[in-house]
């Protein structure tokens, strides 16, 4: 799904009218979610579960934050496993991801990124995934997304927010980007993680919650400075990737934005590569997009990974200290 333009940005009259007309459906969406949570009996795993979630549909930086948490736990001697729904994949799970055997068609793109850093489980039934991971010796779980999933109890829940986008127009899907009202979500969270500069003032909504700050830093982008690039991305907010490239000094001569988890077709990639050649530009994409390309296309595209870098590791350490006593 491509993010509707009226969810974010300065609203004009047409955007307000669209959002207002869809607001009753948003109210029903919110009610359905609340009833689903009220009716559920969450499974309490025998191991600690850290949830990296958000309150909006689309990209906020959850997967880089989940990867950073896996790294932080590993530094403490805890070889945590990752757990994800496997969005975009056909596997229902629980399944331990093997990057040598499984591709994005089976397990989705995020699972492959996580599996490169730690043992990763795909499970639409999160409780079943937690049981499978624990049975295989996982000492802890870092769950990428699933904050609104009531099937698995969380020991620590971090709400990731894109500082540049915030909570958009503040309305529920489909009138806006929210999966649930902000107040409901923050009441169940243990901390907020603001990714990037807080241009929307979301940290002020956290109340008594700890607020952690992180930035997405490109890994190995030094050779892109001043270089013409054709940038393409199929993530929640492609403009975030374009901004990262520009911050690294790249000169973007053309941008191609696709819907999140977009399944690239061979002809589509061929046209992008041909266009890049015509422009004398280097085709560049995200690590998340790269796993959805075939091997031949991937070899002809520059992949720019990003990682979450914490502004204050002390705040993160305080949260993980709480987890250690569980």
């Amino acid at each position: 799904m491509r993010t509707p333009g009226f969810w974010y940005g300065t609203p004009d009259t047409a955007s307000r009218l669209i959002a207002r007309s869809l607001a009753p459906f948003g109210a029903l969406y919110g009610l359905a979610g609340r009833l689903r949570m009220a009716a559920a009996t969450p499974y309490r795993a025998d191991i600690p579960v850290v949830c990296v979630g958000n309150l909006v549909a689309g990209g906020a930086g959850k997967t880089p934050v989940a990867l950073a948490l896996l790294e932080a736990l590993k530094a403490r001697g805890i070889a945590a496993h990752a757990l994800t729904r496997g969005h975009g994949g056909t596997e229902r799970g629980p399944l331990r991801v093997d990057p040598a055997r499984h591709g994005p068609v089976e397990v989705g793109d995020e699972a492959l990124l996580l599996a490169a850093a730690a043992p990763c489980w795909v499970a639409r039934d999160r409780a079943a995934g937690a049981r499978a991971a624990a049975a295989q010796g996982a000492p802890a779980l870092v769950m990428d997304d699933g904050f609104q999933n009531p099937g698995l109890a969380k020991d620590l829940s971090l709400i990731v927010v894109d500082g540049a986008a915030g909570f958009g127009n503040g309305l529920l899907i489909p009138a806006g980007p929210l999966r649930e009202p902000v107040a409901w979500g923050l009441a169940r969270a243990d901390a907020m993680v603001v990714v990037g500069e807080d241009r929307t003032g979301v940290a002020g909504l956290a109340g008594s919650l700890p607020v952690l700050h992180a930035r997405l830093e490109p890994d190995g982008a030094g050779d892109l400075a001043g270089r013409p690039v054709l940038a393409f991305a199929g993530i929640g907010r492609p403009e975030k990737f374009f901004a990262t490239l520009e911050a690294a000094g790249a000169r973007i001569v053309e941008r191609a934005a696709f819907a999140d988890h977009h399944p690239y077709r061979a002809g589509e990639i061929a046209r992008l590569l041909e266009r890049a050649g015509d422009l004398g530009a280097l085709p560049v994409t995200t690590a998340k997009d790269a796993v959805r390309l075939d091997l031949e296309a991937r070899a002809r595209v520059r992949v720019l990974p990003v990682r979450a870098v914490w502004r204050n590791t002390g705040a993160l350490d305080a949260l993980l200290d709480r987890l250690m006593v569980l």
Side-chain angles (χ1 to χ4, degrees), residues 228-232 241 245 251-256 271-277 279 281-285:
V229 303
L230 184 153
F232 67 97
F241 175 61
L245 275 172
R251 183 166 59 86
I252 301 178
V253 296
E254 192 160 310
R255 306 160 193 245
R271 287 190 293 274
L272 282 171
L273 294 174
E274 183 179 358
R275 178 62 177 162
L279 294 169
L282 177 71
V284 184
T285 195

mmCIF file with all atom_site columns, all heavy atoms in Angstrom, residues 228-232 241 245 251-256 271-277 279 281-285:
data_model
loop_
_atom_site.group_PDB
_atom_site.id
_atom_site.type_symbol
_atom_site.label_atom_id
_atom_site.label_alt_id
_atom_site.label_comp_id
_atom_site.label_asym_id
_atom_site.label_entity_id
_atom_site.label_seq_id
_atom_site.pdbx_PDB_ins_code
_atom_site.Cartn_x
_atom_site.Cartn_y
_atom_site.Cartn_z
_atom_site.occupancy
_atom_site.B_iso_or_equiv
_atom_site.pdbx_formal_charge
_atom_site.auth_seq_id
_atom_site.auth_comp_id
_atom_site.auth_asym_id
_atom_site.auth_atom_id
_atom_site.pdbx_PDB_model_num
ATOM 1   N N   . PRO A 1 228 ? 26.065 11.398 -9.209  1.00 0.00 ? 228 PRO A N   1
ATOM 2   C CA  . PRO A 1 228 ? 24.667 11.362 -9.661  1.00 0.00 ? 228 PRO A CA  1
ATOM 3   C C   . PRO A 1 228 ? 24.073 9.973  -9.437  1.00 0.00 ? 228 PRO A C   1
ATOM 4   O O   . PRO A 1 228 ? 24.694 8.962  -9.794  1.00 0.00 ? 228 PRO A O   1
ATOM 5   C CB  . PRO A 1 228 ? 24.758 11.705 -11.146 1.00 0.00 ? 228 PRO A CB  1
ATOM 6   C CG  . PRO A 1 228 ? 26.145 11.322 -11.547 1.00 0.00 ? 228 PRO A CG  1
ATOM 7   C CD  . PRO A 1 228 ? 27.014 11.515 -10.343 1.00 0.00 ? 228 PRO A CD  1
ATOM 8   N N   . VAL A 1 229 ? 22.895 9.925  -8.837  1.00 0.00 ? 229 VAL A N   1
ATOM 9   C CA  . VAL A 1 229 ? 22.271 8.634  -8.556  1.00 0.00 ? 229 VAL A CA  1
ATOM 10  C C   . VAL A 1 229 ? 20.806 8.654  -8.968  1.00 0.00 ? 229 VAL A C   1
ATOM 11  O O   . VAL A 1 229 ? 20.141 9.698  -8.965  1.00 0.00 ? 229 VAL A O   1
ATOM 12  C CB  . VAL A 1 229 ? 22.370 8.246  -7.056  1.00 0.00 ? 229 VAL A CB  1
ATOM 13  C CG1 . VAL A 1 229 ? 23.804 8.224  -6.582  1.00 0.00 ? 229 VAL A CG1 1
ATOM 14  C CG2 . VAL A 1 229 ? 21.535 9.177  -6.186  1.00 0.00 ? 229 VAL A CG2 1
ATOM 15  N N   . LEU A 1 230 ? 20.328 7.488  -9.367  1.00 0.00 ? 230 LEU A N   1
ATOM 16  C CA  . LEU A 1 230 ? 18.895 7.252  -9.515  1.00 0.00 ? 230 LEU A CA  1
ATOM 17  C C   . LEU A 1 230 ? 18.488 6.463  -8.283  1.00 0.00 ? 230 LEU A C   1
ATOM 18  O O   . LEU A 1 230 ? 18.922 5.319  -8.106  1.00 0.00 ? 230 LEU A O   1
ATOM 19  C CB  . LEU A 1 230 ? 18.582 6.471  -10.786 1.00 0.00 ? 230 LEU A CB  1
ATOM 20  C CG  . LEU A 1 230 ? 17.095 6.236  -11.092 1.00 0.00 ? 230 LEU A CG  1
ATOM 21  C CD1 . LEU A 1 230 ? 16.871 6.070  -12.595 1.00 0.00 ? 230 LEU A CD1 1
ATOM 22  C CD2 . LEU A 1 230 ? 16.548 4.998  -10.363 1.00 0.00 ? 230 LEU A CD2 1
ATOM 23  N N   . ALA A 1 231 ? 17.702 7.073  -7.424  1.00 0.00 ? 231 ALA A N   1
ATOM 24  C CA  . ALA A 1 231 ? 17.317 6.449  -6.158  1.00 0.00 ? 231 ALA A CA  1
ATOM 25  C C   . ALA A 1 231 ? 15.929 5.844  -6.277  1.00 0.00 ? 231 ALA A C   1
ATOM 26  O O   . ALA A 1 231 ? 15.002 6.490  -6.757  1.00 0.00 ? 231 ALA A O   1
ATOM 27  C CB  . ALA A 1 231 ? 17.338 7.487  -5.040  1.00 0.00 ? 231 ALA A CB  1
ATOM 28  N N   . PHE A 1 232 ? 15.791 4.595  -5.843  1.00 0.00 ? 232 PHE A N   1
ATOM 29  C CA  . PHE A 1 232 ? 14.470 3.986  -5.832  1.00 0.00 ? 232 PHE A CA  1
ATOM 30  C C   . PHE A 1 232 ? 14.280 3.216  -4.532  1.00 0.00 ? 232 PHE A C   1
ATOM 31  O O   . PHE A 1 232 ? 15.215 2.660  -3.962  1.00 0.00 ? 232 PHE A O   1
ATOM 32  C CB  . PHE A 1 232 ? 14.240 3.085  -7.053  1.00 0.00 ? 232 PHE A CB  1
ATOM 33  C CG  . PHE A 1 232 ? 15.072 1.835  -7.125  1.00 0.00 ? 232 PHE A CG  1
ATOM 34  C CD1 . PHE A 1 232 ? 14.565 0.614  -6.688  1.00 0.00 ? 232 PHE A CD1 1
ATOM 35  C CD2 . PHE A 1 232 ? 16.360 1.868  -7.651  1.00 0.00 ? 232 PHE A CD2 1
ATOM 36  C CE1 . PHE A 1 232 ? 15.316 -0.553 -6.773  1.00 0.00 ? 232 PHE A CE1 1
ATOM 37  C CE2 . PHE A 1 232 ? 17.122 0.703  -7.742  1.00 0.00 ? 232 PHE A CE2 1
ATOM 38  C CZ  . PHE A 1 232 ? 16.605 -0.510 -7.306  1.00 0.00 ? 232 PHE A CZ  1
ATOM 39  N N   . PHE A 1 241 ? 14.553 7.727  2.708   1.00 0.00 ? 241 PHE A N   1
ATOM 40  C CA  . PHE A 1 241 ? 15.751 7.198  2.055   1.00 0.00 ? 241 PHE A CA  1
ATOM 41  C C   . PHE A 1 241 ? 16.380 8.253  1.157   1.00 0.00 ? 241 PHE A C   1
ATOM 42  O O   . PHE A 1 241 ? 17.607 8.422  1.147   1.00 0.00 ? 241 PHE A O   1
ATOM 43  C CB  . PHE A 1 241 ? 15.388 5.959  1.243   1.00 0.00 ? 241 PHE A CB  1
ATOM 44  C CG  . PHE A 1 241 ? 16.528 5.412  0.432   1.00 0.00 ? 241 PHE A CG  1
ATOM 45  C CD1 . PHE A 1 241 ? 17.686 4.959  1.035   1.00 0.00 ? 241 PHE A CD1 1
ATOM 46  C CD2 . PHE A 1 241 ? 16.445 5.355  -0.954  1.00 0.00 ? 241 PHE A CD2 1
ATOM 47  C CE1 . PHE A 1 241 ? 18.738 4.454  0.285   1.00 0.00 ? 241 PHE A CE1 1
ATOM 48  C CE2 . PHE A 1 241 ? 17.487 4.855  -1.713  1.00 0.00 ? 241 PHE A CE2 1
ATOM 49  C CZ  . PHE A 1 241 ? 18.638 4.407  -1.092  1.00 0.00 ? 241 PHE A CZ  1
ATOM 50  N N   . LEU A 1 245 ? 20.205 9.814  1.418   1.00 0.00 ? 245 LEU A N   1
ATOM 51  C CA  . LEU A 1 245 ? 21.167 9.903  0.322   1.00 0.00 ? 245 LEU A CA  1
ATOM 52  C C   . LEU A 1 245 ? 21.688 11.321 0.153   1.00 0.00 ? 245 LEU A C   1
ATOM 53  O O   . LEU A 1 245 ? 22.896 11.545 -0.035  1.00 0.00 ? 245 LEU A O   1
ATOM 54  C CB  . LEU A 1 245 ? 20.502 9.440  -0.980  1.00 0.00 ? 245 LEU A CB  1
ATOM 55  C CG  . LEU A 1 245 ? 20.496 7.940  -1.280  1.00 0.00 ? 245 LEU A CG  1
ATOM 56  C CD1 . LEU A 1 245 ? 19.638 7.659  -2.500  1.00 0.00 ? 245 LEU A CD1 1
ATOM 57  C CD2 . LEU A 1 245 ? 21.908 7.422  -1.488  1.00 0.00 ? 245 LEU A CD2 1
ATOM 58  N N   . ARG A 1 251 ? 23.981 13.197 -5.340  1.00 0.00 ? 251 ARG A N   1
ATOM 59  C CA  . ARG A 1 251 ? 23.191 14.108 -6.170  1.00 0.00 ? 251 ARG A CA  1
ATOM 60  C C   . ARG A 1 251 ? 22.111 13.290 -6.873  1.00 0.00 ? 251 ARG A C   1
ATOM 61  O O   . ARG A 1 251 ? 22.382 12.599 -7.843  1.00 0.00 ? 251 ARG A O   1
ATOM 62  C CB  . ARG A 1 251 ? 24.102 14.823 -7.179  1.00 0.00 ? 251 ARG A CB  1
ATOM 63  C CG  . ARG A 1 251 ? 23.386 15.845 -8.051  1.00 0.00 ? 251 ARG A CG  1
ATOM 64  C CD  . ARG A 1 251 ? 24.389 16.742 -8.759  1.00 0.00 ? 251 ARG A CD  1
ATOM 65  N NE  . ARG A 1 251 ? 25.301 16.003 -9.611  1.00 0.00 ? 251 ARG A NE  1
ATOM 66  C CZ  . ARG A 1 251 ? 25.039 15.678 -10.880 1.00 0.00 ? 251 ARG A CZ  1
ATOM 67  N NH1 . ARG A 1 251 ? 23.889 16.032 -11.443 1.00 0.00 ? 251 ARG A NH1 1
ATOM 68  N NH2 . ARG A 1 251 ? 25.938 15.015 -11.604 1.00 0.00 ? 251 ARG A NH2 1
ATOM 69  N N   . ILE A 1 252 ? 20.908 13.363 -6.339  1.00 0.00 ? 252 ILE A N   1
ATOM 70  C CA  . ILE A 1 252 ? 19.814 12.558 -6.879  1.00 0.00 ? 252 ILE A CA  1
ATOM 71  C C   . ILE A 1 252 ? 19.287 13.218 -8.150  1.00 0.00 ? 252 ILE A C   1
ATOM 72  O O   . ILE A 1 252 ? 18.777 14.338 -8.118  1.00 0.00 ? 252 ILE A O   1
ATOM 73  C CB  . ILE A 1 252 ? 18.678 12.400 -5.851  1.00 0.00 ? 252 ILE A CB  1
ATOM 74  C CG1 . ILE A 1 252 ? 19.193 11.730 -4.571  1.00 0.00 ? 252 ILE A CG1 1
ATOM 75  C CG2 . ILE A 1 252 ? 17.539 11.571 -6.448  1.00 0.00 ? 252 ILE A CG2 1
ATOM 76  C CD1 . ILE A 1 252 ? 18.146 11.587 -3.480  1.00 0.00 ? 252 ILE A CD1 1
ATOM 77  N N   . VAL A 1 253 ? 19.410 12.523 -9.263  1.00 0.00 ? 253 VAL A N   1
ATOM 78  C CA  . VAL A 1 253 ? 18.930 13.066 -10.533 1.00 0.00 ? 253 VAL A CA  1
ATOM 79  C C   . VAL A 1 253 ? 17.540 12.538 -10.886 1.00 0.00 ? 253 VAL A C   1
ATOM 80  O O   . VAL A 1 253 ? 16.855 13.126 -11.733 1.00 0.00 ? 253 VAL A O   1
ATOM 81  C CB  . VAL A 1 253 ? 19.927 12.767 -11.680 1.00 0.00 ? 253 VAL A CB  1
ATOM 82  C CG1 . VAL A 1 253 ? 21.239 13.480 -11.429 1.00 0.00 ? 253 VAL A CG1 1
ATOM 83  C CG2 . VAL A 1 253 ? 20.152 11.265 -11.843 1.00 0.00 ? 253 VAL A CG2 1
ATOM 84  N N   . GLU A 1 254 ? 17.162 11.435 -10.232 1.00 0.00 ? 254 GLU A N   1
ATOM 85  C CA  . GLU A 1 254 ? 15.798 10.932 -10.420 1.00 0.00 ? 254 GLU A CA  1
ATOM 86  C C   . GLU A 1 254 ? 15.430 10.047 -9.233  1.00 0.00 ? 254 GLU A C   1
ATOM 87  O O   . GLU A 1 254 ? 16.273 9.340  -8.686  1.00 0.00 ? 254 GLU A O   1
ATOM 88  C CB  . GLU A 1 254 ? 15.665 10.150 -11.724 1.00 0.00 ? 254 GLU A CB  1
ATOM 89  C CG  . GLU A 1 254 ? 14.216 9.851  -12.096 1.00 0.00 ? 254 GLU A CG  1
ATOM 90  C CD  . GLU A 1 254 ? 14.052 9.520  -13.576 1.00 0.00 ? 254 GLU A CD  1
ATOM 91  O OE1 . GLU A 1 254 ? 14.563 10.298 -14.413 1.00 0.00 ? 254 GLU A OE1 1
ATOM 92  O OE2 . GLU A 1 254 ? 13.421 8.498  -13.878 1.00 0.00 ? 254 GLU A OE2 1
ATOM 93  N N   . ARG A 1 255 ? 14.139 10.117 -8.850  1.00 0.00 ? 255 ARG A N   1
ATOM 94  C CA  . ARG A 1 255 ? 13.630 9.334  -7.735  1.00 0.00 ? 255 ARG A CA  1
ATOM 95  C C   . ARG A 1 255 ? 12.488 8.463  -8.214  1.00 0.00 ? 255 ARG A C   1
ATOM 96  O O   . ARG A 1 255 ? 11.671 8.912  -9.013  1.00 0.00 ? 255 ARG A O   1
ATOM 97  C CB  . ARG A 1 255 ? 13.102 10.250 -6.616  1.00 0.00 ? 255 ARG A CB  1
ATOM 98  C CG  . ARG A 1 255 ? 14.105 11.274 -6.154  1.00 0.00 ? 255 ARG A CG  1
ATOM 99  C CD  . ARG A 1 255 ? 13.408 12.435 -5.427  1.00 0.00 ? 255 ARG A CD  1
ATOM 100 N NE  . ARG A 1 255 ? 14.328 13.543 -5.263  1.00 0.00 ? 255 ARG A NE  1
ATOM 101 C CZ  . ARG A 1 255 ? 14.768 13.985 -4.096  1.00 0.00 ? 255 ARG A CZ  1
ATOM 102 N NH1 . ARG A 1 255 ? 14.301 13.454 -2.986  1.00 0.00 ? 255 ARG A NH1 1
ATOM 103 N NH2 . ARG A 1 255 ? 15.634 14.966 -4.029  1.00 0.00 ? 255 ARG A NH2 1
ATOM 104 N N   . ALA A 1 256 ? 12.432 7.251  -7.703  1.00 0.00 ? 256 ALA A N   1
ATOM 105 C CA  . ALA A 1 256 ? 11.321 6.353  -8.004  1.00 0.00 ? 256 ALA A CA  1
ATOM 106 C C   . ALA A 1 256 ? 10.824 5.772  -6.685  1.00 0.00 ? 256 ALA A C   1
ATOM 107 O O   . ALA A 1 256 ? 11.559 5.038  -6.014  1.00 0.00 ? 256 ALA A O   1
ATOM 108 C CB  . ALA A 1 256 ? 11.758 5.232  -8.947  1.00 0.00 ? 256 ALA A CB  1
ATOM 109 N N   . ARG A 1 271 ? 13.866 -1.538 -16.615 1.00 0.00 ? 271 ARG A N   1
ATOM 110 C CA  . ARG A 1 271 ? 13.612 -0.144 -17.017 1.00 0.00 ? 271 ARG A CA  1
ATOM 111 C C   . ARG A 1 271 ? 14.340 0.838  -16.113 1.00 0.00 ? 271 ARG A C   1
ATOM 112 O O   . ARG A 1 271 ? 14.869 1.861  -16.584 1.00 0.00 ? 271 ARG A O   1
ATOM 113 C CB  . ARG A 1 271 ? 12.107 0.131  -17.016 1.00 0.00 ? 271 ARG A CB  1
ATOM 114 C CG  . ARG A 1 271 ? 11.362 -0.528 -18.181 1.00 0.00 ? 271 ARG A CG  1
ATOM 115 C CD  . ARG A 1 271 ? 9.940  -0.034 -18.283 1.00 0.00 ? 271 ARG A CD  1
ATOM 116 N NE  . ARG A 1 271 ? 9.122  -0.461 -17.151 1.00 0.00 ? 271 ARG A NE  1
ATOM 117 C CZ  . ARG A 1 271 ? 8.480  -1.622 -17.082 1.00 0.00 ? 271 ARG A CZ  1
ATOM 118 N NH1 . ARG A 1 271 ? 8.579  -2.493 -18.086 1.00 0.00 ? 271 ARG A NH1 1
ATOM 119 N NH2 . ARG A 1 271 ? 7.750  -1.932 -16.032 1.00 0.00 ? 271 ARG A NH2 1
ATOM 120 N N   . LEU A 1 272 ? 14.392 0.546  -14.810 1.00 0.00 ? 272 LEU A N   1
ATOM 121 C CA  . LEU A 1 272 ? 15.110 1.426  -13.884 1.00 0.00 ? 272 LEU A CA  1
ATOM 122 C C   . LEU A 1 272 ? 16.607 1.451  -14.214 1.00 0.00 ? 272 LEU A C   1
ATOM 123 O O   . LEU A 1 272 ? 17.233 2.518  -14.223 1.00 0.00 ? 272 LEU A O   1
ATOM 124 C CB  . LEU A 1 272 ? 14.903 0.955  -12.446 1.00 0.00 ? 272 LEU A CB  1
ATOM 125 C CG  . LEU A 1 272 ? 13.565 1.298  -11.781 1.00 0.00 ? 272 LEU A CG  1
ATOM 126 C CD1 . LEU A 1 272 ? 13.433 0.573  -10.450 1.00 0.00 ? 272 LEU A CD1 1
ATOM 127 C CD2 . LEU A 1 272 ? 13.435 2.806  -11.567 1.00 0.00 ? 272 LEU A CD2 1
ATOM 128 N N   . LEU A 1 273 ? 17.165 0.281  -14.500 1.00 0.00 ? 273 LEU A N   1
ATOM 129 C CA  . LEU A 1 273 ? 18.590 0.215  -14.828 1.00 0.00 ? 273 LEU A CA  1
ATOM 130 C C   . LEU A 1 273 ? 18.889 0.915  -16.148 1.00 0.00 ? 273 LEU A C   1
ATOM 131 O O   . LEU A 1 273 ? 19.905 1.605  -16.279 1.00 0.00 ? 273 LEU A O   1
ATOM 132 C CB  . LEU A 1 273 ? 19.033 -1.253 -14.886 1.00 0.00 ? 273 LEU A CB  1
ATOM 133 C CG  . LEU A 1 273 ? 18.999 -2.021 -13.564 1.00 0.00 ? 273 LEU A CG  1
ATOM 134 C CD1 . LEU A 1 273 ? 19.312 -3.493 -13.789 1.00 0.00 ? 273 LEU A CD1 1
ATOM 135 C CD2 . LEU A 1 273 ? 19.971 -1.413 -12.562 1.00 0.00 ? 273 LEU A CD2 1
ATOM 136 N N   . GLU A 1 274 ? 17.989 0.754  -17.110 1.00 0.00 ? 274 GLU A N   1
ATOM 137 C CA  . GLU A 1 274 ? 18.176 1.422  -18.400 1.00 0.00 ? 274 GLU A CA  1
ATOM 138 C C   . GLU A 1 274 ? 18.096 2.935  -18.233 1.00 0.00 ? 274 GLU A C   1
ATOM 139 O O   . GLU A 1 274 ? 18.896 3.687  -18.815 1.00 0.00 ? 274 GLU A O   1
ATOM 140 C CB  . GLU A 1 274 ? 17.109 0.954  -19.384 1.00 0.00 ? 274 GLU A CB  1
ATOM 141 C CG  . GLU A 1 274 ? 17.264 1.551  -20.783 1.00 0.00 ? 274 GLU A CG  1
ATOM 142 C CD  . GLU A 1 274 ? 16.206 1.055  -21.749 1.00 0.00 ? 274 GLU A CD  1
ATOM 143 O OE1 . GLU A 1 274 ? 15.366 0.211  -21.344 1.00 0.00 ? 274 GLU A OE1 1
ATOM 144 O OE2 . GLU A 1 274 ? 16.204 1.514  -22.907 1.00 0.00 ? 274 GLU A OE2 1
ATOM 145 N N   . ARG A 1 275 ? 17.145 3.376  -17.428 1.00 0.00 ? 275 ARG A N   1
ATOM 146 C CA  . ARG A 1 275 ? 16.999 4.815  -17.188 1.00 0.00 ? 275 ARG A CA  1
ATOM 147 C C   . ARG A 1 275 ? 18.231 5.372  -16.484 1.00 0.00 ? 275 ARG A C   1
ATOM 148 O O   . ARG A 1 275 ? 18.709 6.465  -16.829 1.00 0.00 ? 275 ARG A O   1
ATOM 149 C CB  . ARG A 1 275 ? 15.747 5.054  -16.336 1.00 0.00 ? 275 ARG A CB  1
ATOM 150 C CG  . ARG A 1 275 ? 15.485 6.513  -15.972 1.00 0.00 ? 275 ARG A CG  1
ATOM 151 C CD  . ARG A 1 275 ? 15.257 7.360  -17.185 1.00 0.00 ? 275 ARG A CD  1
ATOM 152 N NE  . ARG A 1 275 ? 14.941 8.732  -16.802 1.00 0.00 ? 275 ARG A NE  1
ATOM 153 C CZ  . ARG A 1 275 ? 15.022 9.766  -17.628 1.00 0.00 ? 275 ARG A CZ  1
ATOM 154 N NH1 . ARG A 1 275 ? 15.425 9.598  -18.890 1.00 0.00 ? 275 ARG A NH1 1
ATOM 155 N NH2 . ARG A 1 275 ? 14.720 10.974 -17.220 1.00 0.00 ? 275 ARG A NH2 1
ATOM 156 N N   . ALA A 1 276 ? 18.755 4.621  -15.517 1.00 0.00 ? 276 ALA A N   1
ATOM 157 C CA  . ALA A 1 276 ? 19.967 5.068  -14.827 1.00 0.00 ? 276 ALA A CA  1
ATOM 158 C C   . ALA A 1 276 ? 21.123 5.199  -15.814 1.00 0.00 ? 276 ALA A C   1
ATOM 159 O O   . ALA A 1 276 ? 21.904 6.166  -15.758 1.00 0.00 ? 276 ALA A O   1
ATOM 160 C CB  . ALA A 1 276 ? 20.318 4.101  -13.706 1.00 0.00 ? 276 ALA A CB  1
ATOM 161 N N   . GLY A 1 277 ? 21.233 4.242  -16.749 1.00 0.00 ? 277 GLY A N   1
ATOM 162 C CA  . GLY A 1 277 ? 22.280 4.313  -17.761 1.00 0.00 ? 277 GLY A CA  1
ATOM 163 C C   . GLY A 1 277 ? 22.128 5.531  -18.654 1.00 0.00 ? 277 GLY A C   1
ATOM 164 O O   . GLY A 1 277 ? 23.121 6.198  -18.980 1.00 0.00 ? 277 GLY A O   1
ATOM 165 N N   . LEU A 1 279 ? 20.846 8.327  -17.860 1.00 0.00 ? 279 LEU A N   1
ATOM 166 C CA  . LEU A 1 279 ? 21.149 9.529  -17.075 1.00 0.00 ? 279 LEU A CA  1
ATOM 167 C C   . LEU A 1 279 ? 22.606 9.584  -16.631 1.00 0.00 ? 279 LEU A C   1
ATOM 168 O O   . LEU A 1 279 ? 23.045 10.593 -16.052 1.00 0.00 ? 279 LEU A O   1
ATOM 169 C CB  . LEU A 1 279 ? 20.248 9.583  -15.834 1.00 0.00 ? 279 LEU A CB  1
ATOM 170 C CG  . LEU A 1 279 ? 18.753 9.771  -16.079 1.00 0.00 ? 279 LEU A CG  1
ATOM 171 C CD1 . LEU A 1 279 ? 17.969 9.537  -14.789 1.00 0.00 ? 279 LEU A CD1 1
ATOM 172 C CD2 . LEU A 1 279 ? 18.485 11.184 -16.602 1.00 0.00 ? 279 LEU A CD2 1
ATOM 173 N N   . ALA A 1 281 ? 23.741 7.747  -14.265 1.00 0.00 ? 281 ALA A N   1
ATOM 174 C CA  . ALA A 1 281 ? 23.587 7.735  -12.813 1.00 0.00 ? 281 ALA A CA  1
ATOM 175 C C   . ALA A 1 281 ? 23.752 6.333  -12.251 1.00 0.00 ? 281 ALA A C   1
ATOM 176 O O   . ALA A 1 281 ? 23.538 5.333  -12.940 1.00 0.00 ? 281 ALA A O   1
ATOM 177 C CB  . ALA A 1 281 ? 22.211 8.284  -12.431 1.00 0.00 ? 281 ALA A CB  1
ATOM 178 N N   . LEU A 1 282 ? 24.120 6.270  -11.007 1.00 0.00 ? 282 LEU A N   1
ATOM 179 C CA  . LEU A 1 282 ? 24.253 5.009  -10.291 1.00 0.00 ? 282 LEU A CA  1
ATOM 180 C C   . LEU A 1 282 ? 22.901 4.650  -9.671  1.00 0.00 ? 282 LEU A C   1
ATOM 181 O O   . LEU A 1 282 ? 22.333 5.449  -8.917  1.00 0.00 ? 282 LEU A O   1
ATOM 182 C CB  . LEU A 1 282 ? 25.312 5.146  -9.191  1.00 0.00 ? 282 LEU A CB  1
ATOM 183 C CG  . LEU A 1 282 ? 25.533 3.929  -8.283  1.00 0.00 ? 282 LEU A CG  1
ATOM 184 C CD1 . LEU A 1 282 ? 26.223 2.817  -9.069  1.00 0.00 ? 282 LEU A CD1 1
ATOM 185 C CD2 . LEU A 1 282 ? 26.370 4.332  -7.071  1.00 0.00 ? 282 LEU A CD2 1
ATOM 186 N N   . PRO A 1 283 ? 22.347 3.471  -9.975  1.00 0.00 ? 283 PRO A N   1
ATOM 187 C CA  . PRO A 1 283 ? 21.093 3.082  -9.316  1.00 0.00 ? 283 PRO A CA  1
ATOM 188 C C   . PRO A 1 283 ? 21.367 2.677  -7.868  1.00 0.00 ? 283 PRO A C   1
ATOM 189 O O   . PRO A 1 283 ? 22.238 1.845  -7.604  1.00 0.00 ? 283 PRO A O   1
ATOM 190 C CB  . PRO A 1 283 ? 20.603 1.895  -10.149 1.00 0.00 ? 283 PRO A CB  1
ATOM 191 C CG  . PRO A 1 283 ? 21.825 1.347  -10.806 1.00 0.00 ? 283 PRO A CG  1
ATOM 192 C CD  . PRO A 1 283 ? 22.782 2.492  -10.970 1.00 0.00 ? 283 PRO A CD  1
ATOM 193 N N   . VAL A 1 284 ? 20.632 3.275  -6.932  1.00 0.00 ? 284 VAL A N   1
ATOM 194 C CA  . VAL A 1 284 ? 20.857 3.039  -5.504  1.00 0.00 ? 284 VAL A CA  1
ATOM 195 C C   . VAL A 1 284 ? 19.522 2.730  -4.833  1.00 0.00 ? 284 VAL A C   1
ATOM 196 O O   . VAL A 1 284 ? 18.513 3.390  -5.114  1.00 0.00 ? 284 VAL A O   1
ATOM 197 C CB  . VAL A 1 284 ? 21.502 4.273  -4.816  1.00 0.00 ? 284 VAL A CB  1
ATOM 198 C CG1 . VAL A 1 284 ? 21.817 3.959  -3.354  1.00 0.00 ? 284 VAL A CG1 1
ATOM 199 C CG2 . VAL A 1 284 ? 22.762 4.700  -5.547  1.00 0.00 ? 284 VAL A CG2 1
ATOM 200 N N   . THR A 1 285 ? 19.535 1.752  -3.939  1.00 0.00 ? 285 THR A N   1
ATOM 201 C CA  . THR A 1 285 ? 18.312 1.413  -3.215  1.00 0.00 ? 285 THR A CA  1
ATOM 202 C C   . THR A 1 285 ? 18.652 1.025  -1.783  1.00 0.00 ? 285 THR A C   1
ATOM 203 O O   . THR A 1 285 ? 19.815 1.028  -1.373  1.00 0.00 ? 285 THR A O   1
ATOM 204 C CB  . THR A 1 285 ? 17.536 0.289  -3.931  1.00 0.00 ? 285 THR A CB  1
ATOM 205 O OG1 . THR A 1 285 ? 16.208 0.219  -3.412  1.00 0.00 ? 285 THR A OG1 1
ATOM 206 C CG2 . THR A 1 285 ? 18.225 -1.059 -3.770  1.00 0.00 ? 285 THR A CG2 1
#
